[in-house]
Amino acid sequence: FNVIFHFAIIPSILAFYGFYFLVFPKYVQTRQYAKAAIIGLLIAIACAVSTFMDLTYNFGESCGEPGTLLEVLAIGGFIAFIAALNGVIALVIRACITWFSEVRLREELAAKNHDMELALVKAQLDPHFLFNTINNIDVLILKDAEKASNYLNSLSEIMRFMLFKAKKNFVPLSTELAYIEKYIDLQKIRTANESYVHYQVQGSPGDRMIAPMIFIPFIENAFKHCTSKKLEDAIQVKISIEDSGTKMQCVNKFELGKPKPDMEGGLGNGLMRKRLDLLYPNQYELEVRKAEGQYSVDLKIENG
């Protein structure tokens, strides 16, 4: 039994967990199949070499030392085959578990899809935001008709984007950035504080595509939960377009002593994270932080 344990069970266990925790998540799931095959082969060979050395050291005399190089290669090849076979079994099991998890996640998201769509419509066509914007434009007409016309066109573009373009799976990043800029511009006219919002874009979007409305819920929440429009740089939004991906940092300040931001407001970070899981699996980083008087969201979406 000891010989069988060292000969078959140990390499099987080592290969199984090597394939399960290393090869599948790092290479198979990221579609690096060539690397997965190479790493898998190396794991099988390593299991064979280590097992053969262990057998020789512990059971060399009782089992009989192999007399020729051919015998050594035959034994090592058989052990490597057992290890690789168990590795393939590990990949199949991990793939099934991952598939069932994704199916369950999709079903859960589909069950909430109706509520999410209603929440999006409510957030996007918020009566407060809509009516206040229209009233501000109406007042501005008497003061500066040209500027009022520009704001009205911005509002029209925002509504057109939400009703039509946001239904697509992906839109040009430049279109998404234009929507964000128009939304922020319309929020600015609700206060006389010129330093209320700081919005910055670094880099060129080029022909890069992105899922629509991926950044805006976090920005909307920043405006919703900012407790004072009188603070300097009360809301800071920075989008950086890099070779490796697109990063957004959204920070909003809130005054201590006033009602604190509802961290699960808007669409909720949990639901947004699930949407990111489906749209950009293993291709995004989301970090939400709450410090003294400041709430920040850092989101990076890597290029596919």
Side-chain angles (χ1 to χ4, degrees):
F1 177 81
N2 286 337
V3 175
I4 295 175
F5 180 81
H6 285 263
F7 186 85
I9 298 179
I10 289 181
S12 298
I13 293 175
L14 292 175
F16 184 93
Y17 285 103
F19 277 67
Y20 192 92
F21 290 108
L22 175 64
V23 177
F24 185 88
K26 192 168 184 180
Y27 300 104
V28 175
Q29 203 165 18
T30 56
R31 300 182 181 181
Q32 301 180 62
Y33 301 120
K35 289 184 179 180
I38 294 172
I39 298 299
L41 181 61
L42 291 176
I43 290 176
I45 293 174
C47 289
V49 172
S50 60
T51 302
F52 185 81
M53 293 176 63
D54 182 62
L55 283 170
T56 302
Y57 180 80
N58 292 292
F59 305 101
E61 293 182 1
S62 60
C63 295
E65 292 288 338
T68 65
L69 178 62
L70 185 60
E71 289 177 339
V72 173
L73 292 176
I75 295 173
F78 185 73
I79 297 174
F81 173 78
I82 293 176
L85 182 61
N86 281 274
V88 171
I89 294 173
L91 291 181
V92 173
I93 293 175
R94 185 67 186 269
C96 290
I97 292 174
T98 302
W99 182 76
F100 278 116
S101 298
E102 290 178 354
V103 168
R104 187 167 59 250
L105 181 62
R106 289 178 184 275
E107 288 176 348
E108 183 180 354
L109 194 67
K112 294 182 178 180
N113 185 55
H114 180 66
D115 293 336
M116 182 178 179
E117 289 179 352
L118 291 178
L120 277 170
V121 172
K122 182 178 179 180
Q124 294 163 15
L125 297 177
D126 182 1
H128 266 303
F129 168 71
L130 188 60
F131 292 143
N132 285 339
T133 302
I134 292 175
N135 287 335
N136 290 331
I137 292 175
D138 183 45
V139 173
L140 193 60
I141 289 175
L142 299 177
K143 298 179 179 179
D144 192 332
E146 184 177 354
K147 183 178 290 186
S149 177
N150 291 335
Y151 281 131
L152 190 61
N153 288 332
S154 294
L155 181 60
S156 175
E157 288 295 325
I158 284 178
M159 296 182 68
R160 184 178 294 110
F161 178 87
M162 292 185 299
L163 293 174
F164 301 106
K165 295 182 181 179
K167 293 182 179 180
K168 299 179 180 179
N169 292 331
F170 293 93
V171 297
L173 178 57
S174 57
T175 302
E176 183 79 2
L177 295 178
Y179 168 77
I180 293 173
E181 184 175 2
K182 288 182 174 64
Y183 177 83
I184 291 176
D185 284 343
L186 288 178
Q187 289 282 6
K188 284 181 179 180
I189 65 174
R190 300 173 65 185
T191 176
N193 181 7
E194 295 183 357
S195 61
Y196 171 47
V197 184
H198 180 72
Y199 175 58
Q200 180 183 10
V201 176
Q202 290 184 340
S204 173
D207 57 356
R208 191 172 299 183
M209 304 292 286
I210 197 168
M213 309 295 293
I214 206 71
F215 295 135
I216 197 66
F218 300 107
I219 298 174
E220 287 179 338
N221 283 341
F223 280 100
K224 184 181 298 184
H225 301 314
C226 183
T227 56
S228 175
K229 296 182 177 66
K230 298 179 180 179
L231 296 174
E232 184 176 354
D233 290 333
I235 297 173
Q236 303 171 54
V237 180
K238 180 180 178 181
I239 296 178
S240 303
I241 305 168
E242 304 172 351
D243 292 337
S244 59
T246 305
K247 296 169 59 176
M248 181 207 70
Q249 182 181 56
C250 182
V251 179
N252 72 271
K253 298 178 182 178
F254 58 93
E255 293 178 324
L256 298 176
K258 289 191 175 183
K260 295 183 179 180
D262 179 7
M263 300 311 170
E264 294 299 327
L267 295 180
N269 291 331
L271 192 56
M272 286 305 302
R273 192 181 290 275
K274 288 182 179 180
R275 186 179 180 223
L276 287 164
D277 284 334
L278 289 176
L279 292 171
Y280 297 100
N282 301 315
Q283 290 181 286
Y284 81 92
E285 297 175 10
L286 176 61
E287 183 178 2
V288 179
R289 298 186 304 275
K290 178 190 172 187
E292 193 74 7
Q294 183 172 287
Y295 185 69
S296 64
V297 175
D298 290 280
L299 172 60
K300 178 179 180 180
I301 297 177
E302 300 175 359
N303 293 332

